[in-house]
Amino acid sequence: MRLQALLVFSVLVLVVLNFEIWKKEKLKAEGQSVLLQLAPVDPRSLMQGDYMRLEYALEDMVTSEQLDKQDKRGHLVILPNENNVGSFVRFYDGEELAPKEMLIRYHKTNYDIQIVPHSFFFQEGHAKFYESARYGEFKCDSSGKHLLVALVNEKFKRIIPSDEEK
Amino acid sequence: MSDKPELSLEQIPANRALVEELYGHNLINQETREYALDLLYPRSKWGLWASYFLSIIGSALILVGIIYFFAFNWSKVPIMAKFALVESTILICLACAFWRGIDRLSGKLFLLSASVLVGVFLAVFGQIYQTGADAYQLFMGWAALIFGWVLLSQFAALWIIWLTIMNLFICLYWDQAVFPSHQSEAFIFSILGVFNASFLVLREFLLYKKPSSMNWDWLGAVWVQGILFLAALIPLAIPMHQAIWESSYEGTLAAICGAVLGTIFHVLAFWVYRFKIPNMGALSTIILSLCLLGEAFFGRFVFKSIDGDGLSFFIMGVITIAMFTFAIVQLRRIHAQMEAENVPS
């Protein structure tokens, strides 16, 4: 009896884990790409161990008066420019989107909004590759779910660390 | 204690303390003592203990090795290979748990490993997809996913791991999702304390009342009680100290609630471990905690009202000696009483 229950739980766990992978891979493959400018970060103080703290310029484009009226969690409407860099248009309120407009999820803290993630993980010792990061590349779906897939430099090139030049 | 029913000889448990006591009163000689101890604690038991110990250390090292393997080869391994490796290790652990059966220690250890590896999987998942910010979600998912295994395991170590994950989840959730104001941030201690205390109560209830025919002996180990007890006591003592020391918390609902709960816990725990489930370890911890609270109370008073460090430290020293001497005398008295109550005359 206990072993049967164990079997059920185990199958359940593995199904959930793989389903989560599948969801992320789907978003990565089918999501629409957009760049978000990183807020100026000081690489010396913000590089910690094997991850980098991120902030987005988008988060500063919202005034506190606009913010006060919003719920704790919601979506921003953003519009990508010719370089595919998104900028804040308005808070989403269930209306029809204009062409090219996209949704991105945010949550509110006490004094500003945050777009997750606020950190980017990389392998120990790869910090030097990411110092030139200016944008985060996101994949978004129509419901506003998003996934940070890479960091991008000022020439709009994805940063791909290579171990050869050690 | 005189109204206790007479115990027959076979109802008195034989253990090291009893043998040493008899030897100490010269009722048995050295040879008998050694023979008795040999009978009670056969040498082969040490071998068994060593093999348990080594198998636990061994599984821990293997797990650590797997974690380091990932950490140092991070970007060289393709994404799906990372997932496949973690998942197949989980599968192997589960298969071994089935093979050994979860009534044996080895089976339980495999289940524990699988549970830890689910956490590894979630960490890898969080890093690959950069889900970053809300770390509480990782611990929430982890605790939820392994809960079924934990329930089935009848394994105290796995429960303690689960409780640790839950504690982390509660702390992070409080920080990252509740965004408490300064007024309410001290509530976290009450929440943690009550959460952990409820598991302590559950453990004592199951172990001593035995509500069903199931076997609850696996909850019996002393360290389980110790960890649960500290996990409840420490978060509940912190708001009491805050109430004494930090004037910025004065009068906030969170501080008052925490201090009241802390007081209730100290009183109840003292009563339970003194009269219901006699336990010297728990009692000493409560009395130590009370001493520390006394220190804080007198400390605040002395340091606020007396200028000059030398004098206030001197006075605190005297108070400390007096208080701890009093506490130890009380403890010894309680200890003697409990021995008299529990050893049938």
Side-chain angles (χ1 to χ4, degrees):
Chain A
M1 178 57 210
R2 269 173 79 207
L3 279 180
Q4 279 152 5
L6 183 65
L7 188 67
V8 172
F9 283 129
S10 305
V11 170
L12 203 68
V13 168
L14 288 167
V15 167
V16 171
L17 295 186
N18 288 306
F19 181 63
E20 289 298 317
I21 297 180
W22 178 79
K23 277 202 300 200
K24 293 288 182 195
E25 285 301 322
K26 189 163 181 279
L27 183 54
K28 205 159 118 184
E30 297 171 9
Q32 198 184 342
S33 182
V34 65
L35 300 180
L36 291 187
Q37 194 186 353
L38 301 176
V41 287
D42 179 354
R44 276 166 306 171
S45 66
L46 295 168
M47 295 287 183
Q48 301 174 324
D50 52 0
Y51 81 99
M52 176 172 150
R53 281 196 29 79
L54 297 182
E55 273 170 37
Y56 306 101
L58 199 58
E59 295 166 341
D60 300 328
M61 291 180 188
V62 183
T63 60
S64 50
E65 296 92 77
Q66 287 175 305
L67 188 59
D68 285 341
K69 298 184 212 118
Q70 302 301 323
D71 295 331
K72 268 198 163 177
R73 284 160 206 279
H75 293 94
L76 304 177
V77 179
I78 56 171
L79 187 67
N81 67 9
E82 67 278 8
N83 286 322
N84 205 24
V85 178
S87 58
F88 173 70
V89 181
R90 61 179 182 274
F91 284 96
Y92 182 58
D93 198 22
E95 72 277 13
E96 195 81 17
L97 293 182
K100 288 183 78 181
E101 279 182 345
M102 296 168 74
L103 288 180
I104 198 152
R105 244 177 91 85
Y106 74 92
H107 66 263
K108 223 164 97 168
T109 67
N110 285 333
Y111 42 87
D112 64 356
I113 60 164
Q114 286 197 352
I115 293 162
V116 292
H118 260 207
S119 54
F120 184 82
F121 294 95
F122 44 78
Q123 186 177 314
E124 195 83 37
H126 279 187
K128 54 185 183 289
F129 301 114
Y130 291 103
E131 276 168 15
S132 60
R134 294 291 174 275
Y135 302 95
E137 183 181 349
F138 286 81
K139 294 277 185 183
C140 305
D141 68 5
S142 52
S143 69
K145 281 203 280 294
H146 63 264
L147 189 65
L148 174 64
V149 288
L151 293 188
V152 173
N153 64 18
E154 70 279 2
K155 295 182 189 115
F156 305 106
K157 283 253 155 58
R158 272 192 191 195
I159 298 172
I160 297 161
S162 60
D163 270 334
E164 270 80 78
E165 44 168 323
K166 244 188 213 169
Chain B
M1 65 187 177
S2 51
D3 56 10
K4 281 207 165 181
E6 281 290 313
L7 286 174
S8 66
L9 198 56
E10 68 217 39
Q11 281 174 286
I12 302 173
N15 56 25
R16 186 183 296 277
L18 188 74
V19 175
E20 297 293 356
E21 183 105 18
L22 290 172
Y23 178 67
H25 286 89
N26 268 333
L27 292 168
I28 53 172
N29 62 17
Q30 172 76 18
E31 201 182 334
T32 320
R33 169 180 170 269
E34 265 163 31
Y35 181 77
L37 285 180
D38 220 34
L39 205 66
L40 284 173
Y41 306 101
R43 290 195 179 103
S44 55
K45 227 179 161 177
W46 282 101
L48 208 60
W49 181 85
S51 100
Y52 281 165
F53 180 74
L54 289 174
S55 59
I56 290 169
I57 295 279
S59 2
L61 285 176
I62 290 173
L63 284 181
V64 171
I66 293 170
I67 291 165
Y68 273 79
F69 178 79
F70 276 100
F72 283 97
N73 294 292
W74 189 242
S75 59
K76 283 187 206 122
V77 189
I79 290 180
M80 284 305 145
K82 288 172 194 165
F83 285 135
L85 195 53
V86 185
E87 280 197 43
S88 49
T89 326
I90 294 177
L91 270 177
I92 291 169
C93 284
L94 288 174
C96 291
F98 276 107
W99 166 56
R100 302 296 292 178
I102 42 175
D103 286 321
R104 298 161 85 161
L105 181 69
S106 51
K108 290 176 201 283
L109 281 175
F110 279 119
L111 200 56
L112 185 145
S113 310
S115 307
V116 172
L117 284 164
V118 169
V120 174
F121 178 95
L122 293 176
V124 169
F125 183 85
Q127 294 202 323
I128 287 177
Y129 295 121
Q130 306 287 352
T131 51
D134 289 349
Y136 78 87
Q137 287 171 342
L138 187 151
F139 291 99
M140 183 176 70
W142 192 1
L145 283 168
I146 66 172
F147 187 59
W149 295 343
V150 177
L151 270 181
L152 291 173
S153 68
Q154 303 193 347
F155 190 30
L158 189 50
W159 273 98
I160 298 288
I161 287 179
W162 186 78
L163 284 175
T164 312
I165 298 169
M166 278 303 285
N167 272 269
L168 282 168
F169 158 61
I170 293 171
C171 289
L172 292 170
Y173 183 79
W174 186 254
D175 251 19
Q176 297 172 348
V178 180
F179 308 124
S181 63
H182 181 73
Q183 294 273 310
S184 59
E185 68 186 351
F187 268 126
I188 184 67
F189 298 113
S190 309
I191 297 168
L192 280 184
V194 168
F195 179 76
N196 292 333
S198 59
F199 281 89
L200 177 68
V201 170
L202 195 63
R203 183 244 180 204
E204 307 295 24
F205 175 74
L206 293 175
L207 196 58
Y208 294 97
K209 294 278 187 220
K210 300 206 191 319
S212 74
S213 56
M214 272 174 77
N215 179 10
W216 300 107
D217 290 345
W218 54 274
L219 280 168
V222 182
W223 62 268
V224 178
Q225 194 232 19
I227 289 177
L228 287 176
F229 186 68
L230 286 178
L233 180 75
I234 292 172
L236 287 174
I238 290 173
M240 298 174 83
H241 283 272
Q242 280 179 336
I244 295 172
W245 277 114
E246 291 188 34
S247 43
S248 70
Y249 284 111
E250 249 164 36
T252 64
L253 186 62
I256 295 168
C257 166
V260 168
L261 283 174
T263 314
I264 294 175
F265 181 79
H266 278 79
V267 172
L268 270 185
F270 188 87
W271 178 72
V272 167
Y273 290 118
R274 172 68 184 81
F275 299 107
K276 292 288 158 185
I277 312 162
N279 183 313
M280 244 357 247
L283 283 181
S284 335
T285 319
I286 294 167
I287 289 186
L288 176 66
S289 171
L290 290 177
C291 282
L292 292 176
L293 286 166
E295 286 282 290
F297 179 76
F298 286 116
R300 173 169 180 177
F301 181 70
V302 168
F303 286 114
K304 270 202 174 163
S305 51
I306 298 173
D307 280 337
D309 280 345
L311 185 61
S312 44
F313 274 108
F314 174 73
I315 294 178
M316 274 316 290
V318 174
I319 291 176
T320 306
I321 293 173
M323 201 158 53
F324 275 84
T325 313
F326 178 72
I328 289 166
V329 170
Q330 291 304 311
L331 264 180
R332 291 186 66 100
R333 197 176 55 82
I334 293 170
H335 182 59
Q337 278 178 4
M338 287 199 339
E339 284 226 310
E341 282 160 19
N342 291 310
V343 174
S345 49

